[in-house]
Amino acid sequence: MVTIRKEITVGIALVIGTIVMLDYIVVFDPIQTIAKYSMDSVVIVQAFAYILGGVIAARRDVIAVIKRGKYWFNSAVMLVTLAVTVIIGTVWGFDHPIYYILFNNMLQPMTLVTAGFMTFYMASATFRVFRAKNLNSSVLLAAGVLMMLRNAPIGSLIWPGFGTLGNFLLSVPQIGGNRGVILGSAIVSVFFGLRVLLGYEQRWTGSAD
Amino acid sequence: MSLPYFVPVDTPFEVTPPTQGVYDAVESMPEGSIAYIAWDFGVMSRPELYPQALALTRHAIRKNIKFVVATMYSPDASLFFKQARTTGDLVEDLNREGYVYGEDYVHLGYYPGSATSLTAFAQGIHQLVKADIDGVPIEDLPLMQQLHTAEDFDIWLVGHYSPRAWVGLIATPYDAKMVCASDSGGFPALLAYFQSGQILGALNGLKGAAEYEKLLGYRAGGTSLLNIQSFSHVFFISLLVAGNYLYFRQKTTKKEAEE
């Protein structure tokens, strides 16, 4: 049953993916219509994916609260916040002042604080890791310092050459390297897409193979 | 690092060619042109992208460019723009230039699906979008009657944490005029597109925002946060110096002990 379900999923991906891809190559009305319909449907499918994600998360937390596991209190907080946000959002809409209060005064500061915590890890890593141990790490260190000074106006105040050198690094070696990465990732994307369409890549179906 | 936030310290800076490219592209648009402005960033990238998106939108308003704002990647930005236009930073600009909602600008809100919804939007706006963010049918919005595909927009102003997809999905296939604003992490990739002429300009994180504010002649989030960034960079460089000094001292001490 699981195999059949997986084959159906891969089959749908193969048909839809091929049609959407053909739309770029062939001018044929039925293909264009199906491709457009498929792409418009993604918006609806993804909206349902959000609902599904919410339900799965809520189910996991309900079980954690019932079982009184190690961090059950965190799950309880998660359930309350989920319920409050969903109720206010669906009943009164996200124009409601309470929704804005939740968004502006809770979600935003908490997210930014979480991001701010990374500063401590970065500071610690900067102190411990970026050491001129060999040629490679010395080049990385020099390029990093140069780019930091180039990106902050204080760098040009210390020595105007930091800006010139930084601009050279960004405009010449960086662009050359980046173009290689862009081309490489584009080619990899094509082959990855083919693997998905042909069913060789099945991790997205939930399979471990 | 936070000192410049409390005690403003201005450090002079020059406008770089990618920022000048953005300014010139918007400046060259005739009155009444139509722009797509992407407010497409989440809370995490807000500090760098909000000042940029604000500056781009303000410039469009000053030039009397009609515009449509939509979000394809992160729902947060829809709320940022809604607040900015209803109670926040854009109210004064919109009122001063006499912008009328529906005729001069439209806010479509969030369309999940990232690259796919962007492609669908570009191919047929009316098939994908049925109403604006407040549920007003797009048939009732006069500006939307002029817009059917990506080709109907005169310029694309993209504020996104990694706008590479926009170049591949919009700028190149539709030969569209596009400028991009991204965080500092996404900027180096944009330079390749700027150098090849695929985009007309690019803003580099807070530095780009501050440079754009300078060109527009006002001082806001970009400029004040750039000073904080300056100090934080100096702080990190001092950590690098201290870390390397200790490393070499430790190495020398070990060598001396062995001898």
Side-chain angles (χ1 to χ4, degrees):
Chain A
M1 186 63 189
V2 174
T3 313
I4 294 170
R5 201 168 59 188
K6 205 190 305 172
E7 279 168 356
I8 292 170
T9 317
V10 173
I12 292 170
L14 175 65
V15 173
I16 301 290
T18 310
I19 289 170
V20 171
M21 217 160 58
L22 278 176
D23 180 40
Y24 282 91
I25 306 161
V26 184
V27 182
F28 184 49
D29 277 349
I31 286 179
Q32 284 180 332
T33 310
I34 299 170
K36 181 80 181 76
Y37 177 78
S38 307
M39 283 191 286
D40 289 345
S41 306
V42 168
V43 176
I44 301 162
V45 172
Q46 190 148 342
F48 274 99
Y50 282 138
I51 297 171
L52 186 66
V55 170
I56 291 169
R59 190 178 63 178
R60 188 200 59 195
D61 287 309
V62 166
I63 292 169
V65 170
I66 291 169
K67 286 186 174 173
R68 290 285 198 277
K70 196 177 176 185
Y71 299 111
W72 72 271
F73 186 74
N74 293 350
S75 296
V77 172
M78 151 76 187
L79 284 172
V80 171
T81 49
L82 181 71
V84 168
T85 317
V86 168
I87 290 167
I88 292 170
T90 41
V91 176
W92 292 292
F94 59 80
D95 277 343
H96 197 271
I98 298 175
Y99 197 89
Y100 273 127
I101 288 170
L102 289 174
F103 185 73
N104 288 335
N105 302 341
M106 291 182 78
L107 179 75
Q108 282 201 60
M110 285 194 287
T111 311
L112 290 173
V113 164
T114 312
F117 278 134
M118 283 196 289
T119 312
F120 295 102
Y121 291 106
M122 282 161 69
S124 164
T126 308
F127 187 72
R128 289 179 291 112
V129 181
F130 283 87
R131 288 172 178 175
K133 286 177 184 168
N134 51 42
L135 182 66
N136 287 352
S137 56
S138 305
V139 170
L140 178 72
L141 181 68
V145 170
L146 201 58
M147 288 321 296
M148 277 198 273
L149 287 167
R150 185 253 172 210
N151 267 351
I154 208 161
S156 293
L157 271 184
I158 298 167
W159 180 53
F162 284 134
T164 318
L165 266 172
N167 285 340
F168 167 76
L169 272 187
L170 261 183
S171 313
V172 184
Q174 184 278 133
I175 286 187
N178 225 318
R179 287 207 172 115
V181 172
I182 292 169
L183 278 171
S185 62
I187 293 166
V188 168
S189 301
V190 170
F191 283 102
F192 183 76
L194 276 176
R195 279 180 62 84
V196 170
L197 291 185
L198 297 173
Y200 289 110
E201 186 62 55
Q202 294 191 359
R203 275 173 292 187
W204 63 275
T205 62
S207 158
D209 302 336
Chain B
M1 280 197 285
S2 315
L3 190 69
Y5 190 79
F6 301 104
V7 186
V9 184
D10 275 338
T11 39
F13 55 86
E14 295 298 318
V15 175
T16 51
T19 307
Q20 188 67 51
V22 176
Y23 182 82
D24 292 344
V26 180
E27 198 62 24
S28 69
M29 298 311 294
E31 194 175 306
S33 342
I34 305 175
Y36 177 99
I37 307 183
W39 279 54
D40 236 325
F41 47 90
V43 175
M44 284 275 200
S45 42
R46 186 187 191 276
E48 283 195 288
L49 278 153
Y50 183 80
Q52 294 179 329
L54 201 60
L56 283 171
T57 313
R58 276 189 171 145
H59 196 186
I61 295 169
R62 279 187 196 183
K63 288 290 298 175
N64 277 313
I65 295 172
K66 297 177 178 184
F67 62 88
V68 171
V69 172
T71 306
M72 307 280 174
Y73 286 80
S74 169
D76 301 343
S78 263
L79 287 178
F80 295 146
F81 181 71
K82 182 135 200 208
Q83 286 181 75
R85 76 175 169 88
T86 51
T87 54
D89 296 315
L90 286 173
V91 175
E92 203 186 310
D93 300 78
L94 290 165
N95 290 340
R96 191 184 55 238
E97 300 297 334
Y99 267 59
V100 178
Y101 185 80
E103 287 176 21
D104 301 310
Y105 74 107
V106 168
H107 184 200
L108 295 178
Y110 173 55
Y111 286 84
S114 314
T116 317
S117 54
L118 180 59
T119 310
F121 180 86
Q123 287 182 353
I125 298 167
H126 288 253
Q127 282 85 50
L128 179 77
V129 179
K130 300 297 174 197
D132 74 351
I133 192 166
D134 296 317
V136 178
I138 61 166
E139 288 75 29
D140 299 342
L141 301 165
L143 177 59
M144 294 309 293
Q145 304 320 305
Q146 301 174 49
L147 302 166
H148 299 280
T149 68
E151 285 165 350
D152 297 325
F153 289 100
D154 299 304
I155 191 167
W156 293 68
L157 315 176
V158 181
H160 186 245
Y161 48 85
S162 177
R164 275 171 55 178
W166 295 78
V167 182
L169 296 171
I170 305 292
T172 309
Y174 293 96
D175 198 18
K177 278 187 178 178
M178 180 179 282
V179 298
C180 296
S182 79
D183 57 25
S184 303
F187 178 73
L190 286 179
L191 270 184
Y193 299 115
F194 174 63
Q195 213 178 54
S196 65
Q198 284 165 285
I199 57 171
L200 300 170
L203 297 183
N204 173 16
L206 280 176
K207 191 165 189 281
E211 289 172 7
Y212 211 79
E213 285 173 8
K214 188 179 179 181
L215 285 168
L216 291 177
Y218 73 91
R219 184 198 155 96
T223 314
S224 56
L225 288 173
L226 183 65
N227 289 324
I228 297 175
Q229 185 172 287
S230 257
F231 276 72
S232 67
H233 283 197
V234 169
F235 172 67
F236 274 93
I237 290 168
S238 61
L239 284 177
L240 284 173
V241 171
N244 276 283
Y245 168 73
L246 288 175
Y247 169 70
F248 281 109
R249 205 180 71 171
Q250 206 175 30
K251 213 172 160 184
T252 317
T253 318
K254 204 175 167 186
K255 210 173 172 182
E256 281 171 1
E258 279 170 5
E259 283 168 4

